[in-house]
Amino acid sequence: MTPAATQTLAARVFPRLYRDSVTLMSLAAALERRDGVTRAGVVMGTPGNLAILERSAMLPPDVAPAPDDLVVVVRGVDEATVAAALEAAGAGLEAVEQDRGPRRERLPQTVAEGLTVDPALTLAVVSTAGAYAPVVVEQALRSGLHVLCFSDNVAAADEVRLKHLAAQRGLLLMGPDCGTAILDGVPLGFANAVRRGPVGIVAASGTGAQEVACLLHRAGTGVSQLVGVGGRDLSTAVGGTMTHLALDLLDRDGATEVVVVVSKPPAPEVARRLLARLATLGKPAVACLLGEDDTDGPVPVRGTLEGGARAAAALVGAVLDLEPVAFPDATPGATQDGTPAAGVLGLYTGGTLAAEARVVLGRAGVPAQVLDLGDDAYTVGRPHPMIDPASRAALVVDAGGRPDVGVLLVDLVLGHGAAADPATPLADAAAEAVRTAASDGRELVVLASVCGTDDDPQDLAAARRALTRAGVVVHPSNAAAARAAAAVTSRVRSTA
């Protein structure tokens, strides 16, 4: 591949042009499939998006769009390739406009217009560019609607203000940057098809909530409500405003018998208030706080998603029995002097799953590089890897050629919102990576877990079979896969 330093980077700005995020991500994915294009981004020109482009070395120095301009950025092997891609982007945006065609009915353009169509609506989903989201969210809240705000890049000050407004009105503001919820059995955003049951989940994480919900499903129990609150809710600035409101609502919810809160470690003072609130909730509760020590005080605290799910299941009389997986019989990796090496590389589509893997590996004293490929640095202007698996698959293939990597750790997330077949691209890439390593005289161990249920739109059993046929060792949970990675690494070190 041509080094980035010798490639061409160029952009095209479309003044005062707005397209929804799905259109932008689809266009970016199409551009990246063009021969000679190594990276493409299609975003609104907000300060947040431009900052991410700059951090990713994807912002040409002469580009200074306004927030309501649409920006297409392409990096490719030469000027002709990049110019052709930018021309294709313009044609693609024009085609989207033409495809809309005449409508026989006028779709609602504002929250108020939507309520005139159906005054019984109770929830609004906001997925506009982050710079515009606060206005729409406030309109929805002042109209008496609960809100799920999928938009990211919303200023923290706006989040604080809007959550105070929501709390005053007894309304949920899930987000900003909330990707997962299940309310009264209705999945929103990225969510799995889990059975209804007695466990209510409040989550400041997306894939963390999905993993806990799926493990509860596997234990034979289910979820009453899953309320996402956004990743910053338990920060010092926001103070858990929406987490506490969600707990109040679950406390009054007759279908909820047990509550589990899922989050990366909150700010210390926020954590103290949270544990005090859970202790007086009136219903048994579990605090699943990634990285914290497991304790069994008035409120059980668990430091992994698997541990949180197991504790919550036990409180409703269910047992999370995760079948053991055969230990990989391998000596992965090789350094240049021929001694074994088992460097661990994690390529994750789920941010909280990546965080859990770091926790498990860290507890085992195993250094590792674990990447969250759903982070803004990797997704600006391109589809999230849970929607389009191609970007992660390419990195999996590249891992096969790295002599410092002996263990590759990956997740696979199924459910509503995820790709129709995320397993095949990952399986094909893993098989190629294993072949590449073998051709160099090395053995690459690929370990995975699948976050999903047998009721998801994708076929859970087929996904596991596809990975297994490709030589991937599939574990029953993300934590189990990370423990296996640590065990393989420790074994190799002990024999080196």
Side-chain angles (χ1 to χ4, degrees):
M1 181 178 291
T2 306
T6 61
Q7 293 177 358
T8 298
L9 175 67
R12 182 175 174 184
V13 177
F14 297 83
R16 300 186 63 80
L17 178 64
Y18 176 79
R19 292 289 183 267
D20 62 83
S21 58
V22 174
T23 298
L24 300 186
M25 289 188 296
S26 298
L27 179 55
L31 292 175
E32 289 194 345
R33 287 193 292 269
R34 295 175 64 91
D35 290 341
V37 173
T38 56
R39 178 98 190 250
V42 187
V43 299
M44 299 302 299
T46 64
N49 284 340
L50 296 180
I52 295 169
L53 284 174
E54 186 172 18
R55 290 198 299 271
S56 306
M58 282 290 289
L59 182 65
D62 57 340
V63 174
D68 56 352
D69 294 344
L70 191 152
V71 184
V72 180
V73 185
V74 176
R75 183 184 293 280
V77 296
D78 53 41
E79 291 184 6
T81 297
V82 170
L86 292 174
E87 186 66 27
L93 290 168
E94 183 178 341
V96 168
E97 183 66 30
Q98 293 174 348
D99 286 346
R100 292 177 176 179
R103 294 188 182 274
R104 294 184 178 180
E105 61 177 343
R106 184 178 183 273
L107 296 178
Q109 302 296 301
T110 65
V111 171
E113 288 182 8
L115 287 171
T116 62
V117 174
D118 186 354
L121 296 173
T122 60
L123 181 141
V125 177
V126 177
S127 185
T128 66
Y132 313 116
V135 173
V136 183
V137 169
E138 184 166 353
Q139 290 173 347
L141 292 173
R142 293 191 181 281
S143 298
L145 298 175
H146 300 289
V147 175
L148 184 144
C149 183
F150 192 83
S151 309
D152 58 2
N153 293 315
V154 174
D158 284 324
E159 179 173 350
V160 171
R161 176 179 62 83
L162 291 170
K163 283 187 170 176
H164 283 166
L165 174 63
Q168 291 169 1
R169 294 170 176 252
L171 297 170
L172 288 172
L173 169 50
M174 296 169 282
D177 201 14
C178 175
T180 300
I182 303 174
L183 302 181
D184 293 335
V186 179
L188 300 170
F190 297 110
N192 298 93
V194 297
R195 69 172 59 85
R196 301 293 300 277
V199 181
I201 299 174
V202 180
S205 64
T207 51
Q210 289 183 259
E211 177 81 346
V212 170
C214 289
L215 291 174
L216 289 170
H217 180 96
R218 189 175 307 175
T221 185
V223 174
S224 56
Q225 313 284 349
L226 194 168
V227 183
V229 295
R232 292 188 302 206
D233 194 72
L234 290 170
S235 66
T236 300
V238 184
T241 302
M242 208 42 49
T243 297
H244 286 274
L245 177 61
L247 291 173
D248 291 341
L249 296 176
L250 290 178
D251 197 19
R252 300 195 296 267
D253 180 36
T256 300
E257 299 175 13
V258 167
V259 173
V260 55
V261 176
V262 182
S263 175
K264 297 172 185 176
E269 180 56 34
V270 177
R272 285 192 288 271
R273 290 199 302 270
L274 172 63
L275 292 175
R277 177 70 182 94
L278 291 175
T280 60
L281 188 61
K283 296 180 178 181
V286 175
C288 180
L289 307 177
L290 284 184
E292 294 292 304
D293 293 334
D294 292 356
T295 60
D296 288 310
V299 177
V301 176
R302 296 294 182 267
T304 65
L305 303 170
E306 179 190 273
R310 180 172 279 115
L315 288 174
V316 295
V319 177
L320 179 58
D321 185 13
L322 300 178
E323 65 277 11
V325 175
F327 194 86
D329 183 15
T331 304
T335 60
Q336 290 183 349
D337 62 4
T339 58
V344 178
L345 173 64
L347 296 176
Y348 274 82
T349 63
T352 313
L353 296 174
E356 183 185 37
R358 294 189 196 101
V359 167
V360 172
L361 292 165
R363 286 178 172 179
V366 174
Q369 180 185 22
V370 180
L371 303 180
D372 168 18
L373 300 178
D375 185 77
D376 288 345
Y378 299 98
T379 60
V380 60
R382 68 201 314 184
H384 191 284
M386 284 164 53
I387 298 173
D388 182 359
S391 58
R392 198 261 294 265
L395 293 176
V396 169
V397 171
D398 290 344
R402 288 179 53 176
D404 61 314
V405 175
V407 179
L408 180 60
L409 189 58
V410 294
D411 63 340
L412 184 67
V413 182
L414 309 182
H416 300 287
D421 177 21
T424 298
L426 177 58
D428 291 346
E432 184 173 346
V434 170
R435 288 193 298 269
T436 298
S439 69
D440 196 30
R442 295 177 289 107
E443 187 165 7
L444 176 66
V445 174
V446 186
L447 307 174
S449 66
V450 182
C451 177
T453 75
D454 45 9
D455 292 326
D456 276 328
Q458 305 86 354
D459 189 330
L460 172 62
R464 286 176 170 164
R465 286 195 301 270
L467 293 177
T468 301
R469 284 196 300 266
V472 178
V473 183
V474 181
H475 291 264
S477 73
N478 180 59
R483 285 195 297 270
V488 171
T489 303
S490 298
R491 184 182 66 178
V492 171
R493 287 179 173 176
S494 69
T495 59

